[in-house]
Amino acid sequence: MKLGEAQKITSMHLNALSQRRRTLKELLEEGQASGSGSANFDRVEITKELSAVEKEYEQTQDVADELSAMSTAIQNAEVARQQGEAIAEAAEEILKILEVFRRIAKGDKVPATDEKKLMEYSLEMYMSAKNMALMNQNCEGKKHKSLWEEEPAQEEPVDPFELAANTEVGEPLAGVTAVSRSSDAGTGAAPSA
């Protein structure tokens, strides 16, 4: 089962349990308001079922909290991965710019696109490299290929929420103790184990 589906199922189960709890509490209040002595047996049964529903609600809420924490952790991990990739790409770009600076300053020939990238990054660095190249005019410079020719194809970023929702989590509600979910709220039926 996917995490998103498990969260929806857990939420619906919590809503159903909440409704059942409300119904049982109303039955108890009606029994106390009527004050009839013959309702004692039903009141005991309703109280037992209410207790079982409360226990199941708490267990289900714990599962919902765990699923939410899992979803948040997956989303945070994906965001951190994406940020790490962006930082790595930025660092690689700066290293290329520094290499272009070094090559120009040494008096080597670099493609115009590389010079333009250095100029766009920092006009001061570009001017410094050109001035250093003038000092190294007597040296024989090498001719270099562009550092930006091998541009990798841009992959589409993954949505962290979608990634979390599509993560397999098994059956998270399997460990929750189920209570009788009788559609007739007024029967006061005993909880089933």
Side-chain angles (χ1 to χ4, degrees):
M1 177 182 299
K2 297 191 183 293
L3 181 58
E5 294 169 3
Q7 286 180 307
K8 286 178 186 176
I9 290 170
T10 303
S11 177
M12 290 185 328
H13 189 61
L14 281 172
N15 288 338
L17 288 171
S18 180
Q19 180 63 36
R20 181 75 176 141
R21 184 171 56 179
R22 221 173 302 138
T23 303
L24 290 171
K25 285 181 179 181
E26 288 172 4
L27 284 173
L28 279 176
E29 289 173 6
E30 288 173 12
Q32 288 176 348
S34 67
S36 63
S38 63
N40 280 341
F41 180 77
D42 287 338
R43 200 173 111 222
V44 169
E45 291 298 320
I46 292 171
T47 303
K48 284 181 183 179
E49 185 172 351
L50 180 60
S51 176
V53 168
E54 289 284 347
K55 181 180 177 185
E56 184 178 357
Y57 185 87
E58 289 174 12
Q59 290 174 342
T60 306
Q61 185 61 52
D62 289 344
V63 170
D65 293 343
E66 288 175 19
L67 291 174
S68 178
M70 189 183 307
S71 176
T72 301
I74 292 168
Q75 292 170 19
N76 288 343
E78 179 60 21
V79 168
R81 184 193 66 76
Q82 290 176 0
Q83 288 175 340
E85 285 179 0
I87 290 170
E89 288 174 12
E92 187 177 317
E93 188 77 10
I94 290 173
L95 288 175
K96 286 180 181 180
I97 287 171
L98 290 174
E99 179 62 19
V100 169
F101 173 84
R102 186 192 66 76
R103 288 175 178 178
I104 292 173
K106 198 170 128 186
D108 293 351
K109 303 270 187 217
V110 296
T113 56
D114 288 13
E115 279 193 39
K116 183 180 177 192
K117 292 240 185 204
L118 176 61
M119 194 182 319
E120 288 172 352
Y121 180 76
S122 171
L123 186 58
E124 293 170 347
M125 282 179 68
Y126 176 75
M127 294 306 293
S128 295
K130 282 297 194 178
N131 287 335
M132 292 173 81
L134 287 174
M135 290 189 280
N136 291 324
Q137 259 181 341
N138 298 336
C139 299
E140 192 175 309
K142 296 180 185 176
K143 187 172 181 175
H144 295 277
K145 292 182 179 180
S146 176
L147 294 174
W148 282 272
E149 283 180 357
E150 69 244 14
E151 286 292 320
Q154 293 291 330
E155 60 183 59
E156 198 168 311
V158 177
D159 180 19
F161 297 104
E162 187 177 319
L163 178 69
N166 290 324
T167 301
E168 290 290 330
V169 293
E171 294 292 330
L173 291 177
V176 176
T177 307
V179 175
S180 170
R181 292 176 190 86
S182 164
S183 61
D184 182 14
T187 61
S192 62

